[in-house]
Amino acid sequence: MTTLTPRAAARPSRGAPTRPGVTFPRVLAAEWTKLTSIVSNPWLALGTVAATALTAYGLGLFVRTGDGRSGSWVVVSGFLLAQIGFLVLGAVVGTSEHTTGTARVTFTAVPRRQPVLAAQVVVTTVAAAVTAALALGASYLATAGPRAGEAPALDLAVPGTLRVLAAFVAVGVAFALLGLGLGALLRRPADTIVTGIALVYLLDFFLQANPGRFTDTVRALLPSAGRRLLEDDAAVATIDATSQGLQLGVWGGGAVLAAWVVVALGAAAYRLGRHDVR
């Protein structure tokens, strides 16, 4: 009786070594490469940092100690323009593949699709957080002169100061993620940027100019309510005292902004999974 030996199983495999399939770290690396390979993105981050510092410096020149503003507000006041930069950053990440047509290639390689959106959330969070931290540092340096003169000094011992400085980064990241969600949902850069600016900027100013119970309530439920985290405690108390709508306080505004981010990303994930990609 003869025993057969499984020769094929004993032979080493030929050709290229077997590579793992689609994994989240590989999708994450691909999305990071896309973000950093677009030349305009570093310029967008640099422009956001510069605009933030220059705005804070300019506003700091007109603030006096008795104006009811704190030193922390002087440092973060450049968020007035920085919020647009964060929105555009998220919109670029969310729409770039759809405008170039590379989305079909991406989702052929990653058929489940949602890992791509999750990876975009991670890279957008990192990019926005680094940009916000640099902008905050630049604003601190740029406002050193005004704070040493007529503007109030930055005192970390004042209640709410550390929260305001940390909120500059957190709210910047939240606005970038809101732009990402709107971009993945609308898929067109112009539509996304216009919608984002209207939600966090234009509607807030329009409703502020027309106070009333209804308009104040609507204003409190806009994503711009998250900017309350950037105000010191006395300023938030003044806002709530003069409002005829909801009294959100500091953290209520942050909760409203977080809800907008979750809804926008959830709607984007639903459309990504249920609808065709062109």
Side-chain angles (χ1 to χ4, degrees), residues 19 50-51 60-61 64 75 96 114 121 123 143 153 171 193 203 210 255 267:
R19 304 185 65 180
L61 293 175
R64 300 293 181 264
V75 175
S96 59
Q114 277 77 14
V121 168
V123 299
T143 56
V171 177
I193 293 172
L203 273 177
N210 298 276

Side-chain angles (χ1 to χ4, degrees), residues 176-260:
L177 292 179
L178 179 63
L180 170 64
L182 292 174
L185 187 62
L186 301 177
R187 300 182 178 179
R188 294 183 179 180
D191 295 348
T192 301
I193 293 172
V194 169
T195 302
I197 291 177
L199 283 174
V200 306
Y201 202 81
L202 299 180
L203 273 177
D204 184 64
F205 277 92
F206 174 76
L207 295 175
Q208 186 180 14
N210 298 276
R213 182 178 295 276
F214 176 75
T215 54
D216 287 353
T217 300
V218 173
R219 187 185 175 208
L221 297 177
L222 291 175
S224 53
R227 286 199 298 265
R228 286 168 172 257
L229 291 169
L230 298 170
E231 300 285 353
D232 50 63
D233 294 344
V236 173
T238 301
I239 293 172
D240 280 343
T242 56
S243 174
Q244 302 179 44
L246 299 175
Q247 308 291 315
L248 294 177
V250 175
W251 301 107
V256 169
L257 176 58
W260 272 91

